[in-house]
Amino acid sequence: MKKAFVKSYGCQMNAYDAARMADVLGAEGFTATDSVEEADVVVLNTCHIREKAAEKVYSELGRLRVLKSERQARGLDTRIVVAGCVAQAEGAEIQARQPAVDVVVGPQSYHRLPDLLARSRERRVVDTDFPVEDKFTHLPRRRTSGPTAFLTVQEGCDKFCAFCVVPYTRGAEVSRPVAAVLAEAEKLAQGGTREVTLIGQNVNGYHGLGPDGAPVGLADLIRAVAKIPGLARIRYTTSHPNDFDEALVRAHAEVPALMPYLHLPVQSGSDRILAAMNRKHTGDQYRRLIDRVRAARPDTALSSDFIVGFPGETDADFADTLRLVRDIGFESAFSFKYSPRPGTPAAERSDMVSESVMAERLAELQALLDAQRYAYQRAAVGQVFDVLVEKAGRRPGQVAGKTPHLLAVQFDAPLHHIGTIVPVRIVEAGTNSLFGQLATEAVAA
Ligand code: SAH
Ligand code: SF4
Ligand code: F3S
């Protein structure tokens, strides 16, 4: 039996693509393996968003080259595939820097993987076209569905934030038709999936063709997905403040399956920096939007992304970011030092913030965000939540799952609870996870 090792290095969409590449290889007779040493095909699904993420690929490829020649000495063939956003951005450079790479394939072409692997026996291949065909219509059936699943509904980005490579690596915004999304969601539900996260680089810019040929927005897509039997929970990510329409706010109020959690990146709290980032919204516009979502669904947990040290960011700008974080109160957040990316407008600027100032600001911001996260977790102690059980827990006899607000919970229960939603009383808050007990009472609505 031929084996394939597929590893994802990036965002949720990158993880979704990695799973779909495993499906493509599965349809060709490959079984999935977690052990790279025994793999006949190794796929690295790469991320280009920050320099560190991109550089990791080359060090990993160095190790794979050694592995490939060791296997070769034993008469075993190994095909090395670089996929994802680094492949898209640096196809030729990857070929030049690492001769052991057999195939370079971009995020829009991976449905052609079997053909590319076959051709790579003659010579090394690069496929980074943005094809006219829709890869989704060429992908095989999904082979696995767990209790939770990602489902790509929209891809690409037309926003061109000054720091970001995504519009270049993923291309222009494209939405999948409603029928295609519903068909994939139904298959997942039939396979036992209880929670689906609709994903897109700019997911609330979704405007897929509906049944009558007119475009449908994300709010109506959510309402349609909510009707699928078996699907109890819906989430979506990542949205942009400027595409957040009233219909989506209403969906938070009116669709019980839509979970009270929102990841809405703001990047900075300084209007000057937001303008320089080409975000096209202010800190106050973001605050007002959060107010509307909270008015619609008061217990919505909030999450965001932040960049510190964007070129030209002063102490006063950074203080505005801290103020915004204090004003809003986040359950969780991701924060990064600005990383100049080739080809983006911000990378041309000469007023870079020094590494040491960036490090200080990141530490200060993360301390504040951590404190907010702990406070949020502590406030959960004593409450009962519906928990979707996803997998076995860290210790024997334990299972792990998530609350509607996406807090991770571990508790004692038999493994047959996996895939079910059960009430759990939170008894303790750890650093990364809550600990609970199966509750006898149901959650108060
Ligand atoms: N499509 C999503 C996510 C894009 S990438 C969105 O629009 O929000 C995820 C996060 O990485 C971004 O929100 C941003 O905070 C961060 N990021 C993107 N480019 C970056 C860069 N050049 N340096 C540091 N962080 C960056
Ligand atoms: Fe990147 Fe901005 Fe598009 Fe998000 S909205 S993917 S940060 S360009
Ligand atoms: Fe990275 Fe590409 Fe996602 S650059 S964050 S894998 S869209």
Side-chain angles (χ1 to χ4, degrees):
M1 199 62 139
K2 296 175 293 177
K3 292 192 171 143
F5 172 93
V6 183
K7 182 164 175 187
S8 160
Y9 288 86
C11 58
Q12 286 105 335
M13 190 171 291
N14 183 288
Y16 172 90
D17 291 338
R20 301 313 313 270
M21 279 188 261
D23 291 341
V24 170
L25 294 170
E28 296 290 304
F30 286 88
T31 53
T33 176
D34 291 336
S35 146
V36 66
E37 289 80 15
E38 60 177 28
D40 303 286
V41 170
V42 177
V43 180
L44 303 185
N45 200 24
T46 60
C47 175
H48 201 240
I49 201 82
R50 286 168 290 276
E51 192 180 351
K52 237 193 230 155
E55 278 306 311
K56 219 183 317 185
V57 180
Y58 290 101
S59 52
E60 188 70 29
L61 285 174
R63 283 192 289 277
L64 285 177
R65 178 196 185 156
V66 177
L67 187 68
K68 183 175 179 168
S69 51
E70 281 168 6
R71 280 175 51 94
Q72 202 164 23
R74 290 189 281 140
L76 298 169
D77 180 56
T78 315
R79 303 274 107 185
I80 299 180
V81 179
V82 180
C85 291
V86 180
Q88 188 64 44
E90 299 180 1
E93 192 187 337
I94 295 169
Q95 291 274 30
R97 274 176 70 173
Q98 187 44 268
V101 173
D102 300 288
V103 174
V104 172
V105 59
Q108 305 306 340
S109 325
Y110 63 78
H111 55 292
R112 290 202 285 259
L113 208 44
D115 173 48
L116 300 173
L117 282 168
R119 275 165 47 203
S120 75
R121 306 207 168 272
E122 308 291 318
R123 67 161 107 127
R124 308 165 72 203
V125 285
V126 179
D127 184 348
T128 51
D129 291 345
F130 284 123
V132 274
E133 79 217 35
D134 168 10
K135 71 174 172 240
F136 294 104
T137 60
H138 295 271
L139 289 173
R141 193 174 59 76
R142 289 178 76 147
R143 299 173 86 81
T144 50
S145 37
T148 64
F150 294 130
L151 201 175
T152 295
V153 304
Q154 179 278 336
E155 226 183 311
C157 184
D158 300 338
K159 294 264 186 287
F160 291 92
C161 299
F163 51 81
C164 184
V165 293
V166 171
Y168 313 98
T169 62
R170 290 277 169 169
E173 281 182 22
V174 178
S175 297
R176 294 176 70 189
V178 174
V181 173
L182 293 181
E184 194 172 331
E186 276 161 14
K187 289 261 163 52
L188 287 167
Q190 285 157 12
T193 296
R194 307 298 313 279
E195 171 182 303
V196 36
T197 302
L198 308 177
I199 56 175
Q201 264 91 30
N202 181 22
V203 73
N204 57 340
Y206 178 84
H207 55 273
L209 279 192
D212 56 2
V216 167
L218 182 65
D220 284 338
L221 182 71
I222 289 169
R223 288 176 192 271
V225 172
K227 294 202 180 92
I228 296 174
L231 287 185
R233 294 181 163 191
I234 302 169
R235 304 179 186 279
Y236 62 90
T237 199
T238 299
S239 39
H240 191 288
N242 293 1
D243 288 331
F244 218 102
D245 59 10
E246 189 54 29
L248 190 52
V249 176
R250 294 310 321 151
H252 277 271
E254 294 165 5
V255 181
L258 182 58
M259 291 292 102
Y261 177 92
L262 176 62
H263 178 69
L264 190 64
V266 63
Q267 315 297 355
S268 167
S270 153
D271 291 347
R272 217 176 58 82
I273 294 298
L274 285 167
M277 286 176 163
N278 194 32
R279 291 289 293 184
K280 300 198 171 86
H281 62 77
T282 64
D284 278 348
Q285 281 165 339
Y286 184 87
R287 287 178 179 86
R288 283 203 292 277
L289 175 54
I290 297 300
D291 287 344
R292 281 164 57 211
V293 175
R294 280 180 165 158
R297 181 80 206 244
D299 67 332
T300 304
L302 292 164
S303 162
S304 198
D305 291 344
F306 296 91
I307 295 177
V308 299
F310 185 82
E313 186 187 71
T314 63
D315 286 342
D317 293 318
F318 178 62
D320 284 345
T321 298
L322 295 176
R323 192 163 54 83
L324 181 130
V325 171
R326 281 194 204 96
D327 287 350
I328 294 200
F330 292 95
E331 182 216 281
S332 65
F334 300 94
S335 43
F336 313 98
K337 288 182 209 166
Y338 168 71
S339 170
R341 305 306 291 131
T344 61
E348 308 290 312
R349 291 181 54 153
S350 54
D351 48 353
M352 276 284 289
V353 173
S354 75
E355 177 59 36
S356 59
V357 169
M358 276 204 265
E360 267 171 42
R361 287 181 188 164
L362 187 67
E364 193 174 348
L365 175 61
Q366 289 186 340
L368 175 60
L369 290 166
D370 281 350
Q372 293 191 339
R373 185 163 59 90
Y374 295 145
Y376 200 94
Q377 297 211 336
R378 277 196 308 274
V381 174
Q383 296 194 55
V384 178
F385 294 105
D386 273 338
V387 171
L388 170 57
V389 186
E390 294 179 11
K391 56 187 180 192
R394 285 185 220 141
R395 290 205 304 266
Q398 273 191 336
V399 292
K402 302 264 169 57
T403 69
H405 310 100
L406 212 60
L407 294 171
V409 187
Q410 313 258 334
F411 60 101
D412 287 337
L415 291 179
H416 68 74
H417 279 80
I418 292 172
T420 66
I421 296 173
V422 291
V424 174
R425 178 176 297 285
I426 308 303
V427 293
E428 192 191 330
T431 22
N432 293 315
S433 183
L434 299 171
F435 299 94
Q437 288 166 349
L438 263 179
T440 41
E441 68 272 42
V443 178

